[in-house]
Amino acid sequence: MTAPVVAAVVPAAGLGQRLGADGPKAMHLLGGEPMLVHSVRTLAAGPVDLVVVATPPGLGAEVLAQLAGAHPGAELSVVDGGATRSDSVRLALAALPPSVRVVLVHDAARPLVPAALVAAVVAAVEGGADAVVPGLPVTDTVKQVDGADVVVATVDRSALRAVQTPQGFRREVLDTAYAGPESGTATDDAGHVERAGGVVVVVPGAEEAFKVTRPLDLVLAEAVLAGRRQAGG
Ligand code: CTP
Ligand code: MG
């Protein structure tokens, strides 16, 4: 196998507290398989040469066993994740070999991401962008409130995007952004790049790239997967 050029980092070390499941969310079953397996399978089937999963500490061997056979087109490795999502991503980035030039970061908790979205994000980075995020227009009206929950303003939602993963980066850009001091406020990877002064572009996201966060998201995910299986996908 040639040295990997496009890598995907998959933070999968979260507890899934909002889902309320017992055990790590990435290992929660969707259509009979852990969510993480769905995510890795889609990444590996596309233009990704190497997948590095940040696992709940101590679960690396179990995760490797679960993922056997799910990454035919890509190498796979695991690292212990950290206390926060940023820590988990940072630890996985440190495990990338020097040959890697393009890095995707993809939440294990977005198991139904379409392959076409993965390919579009990689293509945008290979086309010259430093940092790329998939985003969708916001459909709810968004209010800004003060400390007493009194509305201060209604935000112009036409200028807002709800962003997803995979987010894609030139490797140096993401390494540099994560090497900076921890801000504590960045809830995605592009946030670190923005804080470091980098330019982040948005490409069209996909509804099916939604994150499984609360129990209702799992109901939707099961329904989407059942529909795909019925359609032979
Ligand atoms: N994640 C991680 N390491 C952490 C926290 C989160 O790798 N210390 C990962 C999760 O496994 C998930 C992704 O980051 O794939 C997005 O995080 P989120 O949806 O918040 O998942 P959890 O942190 O598991 O859920 P919750 O916040 O409800 O506990
Ligand atoms: Mg979380």
Side-chain angles (χ1 to χ4, degrees), residues 11-18 25 82-85 88 107-109 211:
L15 298 174
Q17 280 170 332
R18 287 168 290 179
K25 183 165 75 175
T84 67
R85 184 185 181 284
S88 294
D107 292 326
K211 185 156 68 71

Side-chain angles (χ1 to χ4, degrees), residues 102 117-133 168-169 201-203:
V102 174
L117 182 58
V118 177
V121 171
V122 172
V125 178
E126 287 178 337
D130 277 354
V132 178
V133 301
F169 306 89
V201 297
V202 178
V203 297

